[in-house]
Amino acid sequence: MKKNRERFCNREREFVYKFKVGSQCLELRMPLQFPVQENASHLHGRLMLLHSLPCFIENDLKEALSQFIEEESLQDYDRDAEASLEAVKSGEVDLHQLASTWAKAYAETTLEHARPEEPSWDEDFADVYHDLIHSPASETLLNLEHNYFVSISELIGERDVELKKLRERQGVEMDKVMQELGKSLTDQDVNSLAAQHFESQQDLENKWSNELKQSTAIQKQEYQEWVIKLHQDLKNPNNSSLSEEIKVQPSQFRESVEAIGRIYEEQRKLEESFTIHLGAQLKTMHNLRLLRADMLDFCKHKRNHRSGVKLHRLQTALSLYSTSLCGLVLLVDNRINSYSGIKRDFATVCQECTDFHFPRIEEQLEVVQQVVLYARTQRRSKLKESHDSGNQNGGSDDKTKTAERNYLNILPGEFYITRHSNLSEIHVAFHLCVDDNVKSGNITARDPAIMGLRNILKVCCTHDITTISIPLLLVHDMSEEMTIPWCLRRAELVFKCVKGFMMEMASWDGGISRTVQFLVPQSISEEMFYQLSNMLPQIFRVSSTLTLTSKH
């Protein structure tokens, strides 16, 4: 049948159209390749323009052309069908194979014959967890998560102690070798010892990394199985063991006093809250907060199980599978890893508590790397094509070389997202790439970092993230060049840009009330903080209070 179909495809036929202009009889001839790939209306427009045809034949020509294409195409289809039937009759095509092919194609393209999608384990577990966290068993869930957190924290504490002892022992060995340098030992001996020390550290770190990975995997499996079992037992009200399962056991609250270095002490926070209304006609109320705090304070768990901490964790758990998610913006470099700076600190916090719902931070970063690699490869091939055409026109190849050299990294203003259920107050982390330009005082509203914030807010609107924390000065730590005028200019720029982006939100999500938290570094002075606090209501329209008094 394929040979017959090829026989009727790619045939050329001549379209003939006759018309009169006054007493003169004219004829238009045009070869057409069948099957016709171009739209008949587009083809008709090109004919009118190319041959400067009079306007009074426009409709008639269009009708004649469409009719010619339709009739010739139908004839081809009929001939193709007849040839296919002849092939079946002659035995050239296996009838049973043809029938099974037709049945398979029909079943795959018809909804009523399609197989229902099987629910995944993640979706089932998410539904079960959402039901339990909104039930009396929620306290038991949080207690169990906290016990797992303490267990992992103790394991990490043991790892840190062992690594510290190894480094101290290696330091003593290196000091002895350095004292003998030039006497009985050479530079080669020092380098050999340093290589041995490095290898020993790597072996110990790999050993603890594998142990932590194995422990979190066991915890995750145990937790998910226990949650599923508890949910099934809740459906059976006659189960006598149910009360024991959800009973809180105080003995499991292991508030140990060792490893004090791993307890995060709360530093004094400064905070100001505002309620604003944005919008031209239909105004939307939003909440703004200005805080002097560390970004990672919203991620860290506290080992002491106090009521305030517990309430924060409960609120985060309740909204995990909801339309009120919490997000955080981290400023990172262009490398997708967790080896240095705030990326390493964030990864350390993520590793301190098992994530029972999403993949580990390392696995998520690996997926991001693969996606970026694919996107950069596609972009590089397109740049290469434009570069080749640019060379023909005498263009420059500097941009192409830069793109080829750095295609494994992300660009300033781009960001990647990680999901978390094991952090204190956030569910989503936006890792926004910035460069050293953010430390200068001359960035504008079109800077990649500012445009990255706009795109992050757009993602918040489309993915139900109603609370977002943003570094107001676009830095996490203060430095010498960041003077008071620098801070005021940067804060004014970010305030105004975020206000504009929030006004755009009304067209993105229909006007949903949101909470935006502006964070400044903890090293900033109280005087500077209150100057920024006074600036905010001057830029945003802060709701004023109205006092009602009754007349006697």
Side-chain angles (χ1 to χ4, degrees):
M1 286 194 300
K2 190 174 181 182
K3 294 179 181 178
N4 293 329
R5 188 177 296 112
E6 290 175 353
R7 192 185 309 150
F8 294 111
C9 290
N10 299 322
R11 275 190 170 185
E12 186 178 287
R13 296 180 181 82
E14 190 175 47
F15 170 65
V16 180
Y17 178 72
K18 297 180 180 179
F19 61 97
K20 287 186 177 182
V21 178
S23 59
Q24 198 173 12
C25 186
L26 301 176
E27 189 177 85
L28 173 66
R29 290 180 176 271
M30 182 186 68
L32 282 178
Q33 197 79 18
F34 280 81
V36 179
Q37 302 293 336
E38 192 172 358
N39 184 281
S41 298
H42 296 169
L43 188 59
H44 162 258
R46 288 172 54 193
L47 283 175
M48 293 290 297
L49 185 64
L50 185 62
H51 298 284
S52 302
L53 299 176
C55 60
F56 60 83
I57 68 165
E58 181 175 357
N59 294 334
D60 188 53
L61 174 62
K62 184 177 182 179
E63 184 178 348
L65 180 61
S66 300
Q67 185 177 355
F68 175 77
I69 293 175
E70 183 178 359
E71 290 177 353
E72 293 295 328
S73 298
L74 285 174
Q75 289 178 14
D76 282 347
Y77 294 149
D78 290 341
R79 284 191 287 266
D80 191 11
E82 289 292 339
S84 300
L85 289 174
E86 287 297 329
V88 173
K89 290 177 182 178
S90 63
E92 185 180 344
V93 176
D94 185 6
L95 185 61
H96 295 289
Q97 183 181 359
L98 180 64
S100 62
T101 304
W102 268 95
K104 181 182 178 182
Y106 184 78
E108 289 178 351
T109 56
T110 308
L111 182 62
E112 62 179 315
H113 294 287
R115 292 183 180 179
E117 292 185 7
E118 297 181 0
S120 65
W121 163 260
D122 292 337
E123 292 175 351
D124 289 341
F125 179 74
D127 294 337
V128 169
Y129 179 84
H130 185 74
D131 291 340
L132 286 181
I133 201 65
H134 289 82
S135 73
S138 60
E139 186 173 4
T140 308
L141 288 177
L142 295 181
N143 292 338
L144 182 60
E145 291 179 9
H146 183 74
N147 291 337
Y148 280 141
F149 160 66
V150 173
S151 175
I152 293 295
S153 296
E154 291 174 351
L155 201 61
I156 292 176
E158 295 174 10
R159 178 200 65 183
D160 292 347
V161 169
E162 194 167 339
L163 284 172
K164 183 180 179 182
K165 289 181 179 178
L166 176 65
R167 293 190 183 103
E168 289 176 351
R169 186 170 66 251
Q170 289 178 347
V172 173
E173 292 178 3
M174 184 58 73
D175 290 339
K176 291 180 179 178
V177 170
M178 293 301 293
Q179 290 175 1
E180 296 295 324
L181 182 63
K183 300 176 183 177
S184 60
L185 299 175
T186 62
D187 291 340
Q188 186 176 359
D189 297 322
V190 175
N191 293 337
S192 177
L193 181 63
Q196 292 177 12
H197 286 175
F198 178 77
E199 187 175 350
S200 300
Q201 287 188 22
Q202 288 294 105
D203 291 341
L204 187 59
E205 288 177 357
N206 290 336
K207 171 206 164 189
W208 279 105
S209 176
N210 293 331
E211 188 168 345
L212 282 170
K213 187 177 179 180
Q214 184 178 5
S215 298
T216 54
I218 293 173
Q219 285 187 359
K220 186 172 184 177
Q221 183 178 356
E222 289 178 351
Y223 180 84
Q224 291 185 344
E225 291 175 353
W226 183 83
V227 167
I228 295 294
K229 182 178 181 299
L230 180 60
H231 185 261
Q232 292 172 349
D233 292 342
L234 281 173
K235 291 181 178 179
N236 183 10
N238 299 324
N239 194 337
S240 59
S241 64
L242 181 60
S243 59
E244 295 295 326
E245 289 184 34
I246 64 174
K247 185 182 293 183
V248 181
Q249 300 180 6
S251 61
Q252 293 182 355
F253 294 120
R254 296 170 292 178
E255 298 182 8
S256 56
V257 294
E258 65 266 20
I260 299 177
R262 301 208 53 77
I263 299 178
Y264 297 109
E265 297 182 358
E266 292 187 54
Q267 298 189 14
R268 180 170 176 262
K269 293 182 181 178
L270 293 177
E271 178 181 337
E272 291 283 347
S273 299
F274 305 87
T275 301
I276 64 169
H277 289 87
L278 291 178
Q281 295 180 347
L282 182 61
K283 298 188 183 302
T284 304
M285 185 180 72
H286 301 279
N287 297 314
L288 302 182
R289 296 176 69 198
L290 179 65
L291 297 96
R292 187 181 72 174
D294 188 345
M295 271 290 183
L296 297 182
D297 287 345
F298 294 92
C299 308
K300 297 173 182 175
H301 284 282
K302 312 300 186 294
R303 288 189 62 176
N304 50 331
H305 212 283
R306 293 177 300 174
S307 59
V309 176
K310 190 173 180 180
L311 288 175
H312 273 302
R313 181 70 194 117
L314 177 61
Q315 179 59 37
T316 307
L318 288 172
S319 57
L320 179 59
Y321 296 104
S322 72
T323 57
S324 301
L325 301 176
C326 299
L328 178 78
V329 178
L330 292 176
L331 305 176
V332 299
D333 56 31
N334 61 353
R335 296 181 296 274
I336 304 172
N337 55 41
S338 55
Y339 299 147
S340 62
I342 195 168
K343 296 187 297 184
R344 181 183 58 193
D345 299 337
F346 179 74
T348 301
V349 175
C350 293
Q351 292 165 358
E352 289 183 340
C353 186
T354 303
D355 197 318
F356 302 108
H357 301 264
F358 304 113
R360 297 181 303 114
I361 179 68
E362 296 87 358
E363 296 175 4
Q364 295 192 50
L365 292 180
E366 287 177 4
V367 173
V368 173
Q369 288 172 352
Q370 294 173 4
V371 173
V372 169
L373 178 61
Y374 175 77
R376 288 288 179 263
T377 305
Q378 295 295 317
R379 183 178 295 181
R380 186 174 60 162
S381 63
K382 291 182 179 179
L383 281 173
K384 204 168 186 180
E385 292 175 2
S386 61
H387 163 66
D388 294 339
S389 61
N391 274 353
Q392 295 175 0
N393 300 326
S396 170
D397 60 348
D398 292 341
K399 293 183 178 179
T400 304
K401 289 181 179 178
T402 304
E404 288 182 354
R405 187 168 59 249
N406 301 327
Y407 77 100
L408 289 175
N409 299 331
I410 62 175
L411 304 175
E414 295 180 337
F415 61 91
Y416 53 94
I417 301 172
T418 54
R419 301 169 298 161
H420 309 274
S421 67
N422 58 338
L423 301 182
S424 177
E425 299 180 41
I426 71 163
H427 308 101
V428 179
F430 296 92
H431 305 255
L432 176 61
C433 176
V434 296
D435 54 15
D436 291 337
N437 190 44
V438 296
K439 296 181 180 179
S440 66
N442 56 356
I443 71 169
T444 64
R446 303 300 299 176
D447 188 83
I450 298 293
M451 298 311 297
L453 285 180
R454 178 185 180 273
N455 294 329
I456 287 174
L457 289 175
K458 191 167 186 178
V459 171
C460 291
C461 290
T462 55
H463 292 80
D464 300 321
I465 301 172
T466 56
T467 301
I468 183 70
S469 301
I470 299 172
L472 176 61
L473 303 180
L474 299 182
V475 292
H476 291 308
D477 299 300
M478 301 297 291
S479 56
E480 294 181 356
E481 68 269 14
M482 299 173 188
T483 60
I484 292 180
W486 184 95
C487 293
L488 293 175
R489 287 196 305 271
R490 176 60 55 83
E492 181 180 8
L493 173 65
V494 175
F495 277 148
K496 289 182 177 179
C497 291
V498 171
K499 178 184 178 181
F501 302 154
M502 291 177 70
M503 294 181 72
E504 282 187 85
M505 286 184 188
S507 61
W508 295 339
D509 59 14
I512 296 177
S513 180
R514 299 184 183 276
T515 299
V516 179
Q517 301 185 137
F518 298 101
L519 272 66
V520 294
Q522 287 184 327
S523 57
I524 204 168
S525 64
E526 289 192 23
E527 180 185 359
M528 184 73 252
F529 177 84
Y530 288 115
Q531 287 189 45
L532 299 176
S533 175
N534 293 330
M535 178 190 296
L536 192 148
Q538 297 174 8
I539 296 175
F540 292 88
R541 181 179 298 175
V542 178
S543 302
S544 57
T545 58
L546 183 63
T547 305
L548 300 178
T549 58
S550 59
K551 289 185 178 181
H552 297 288

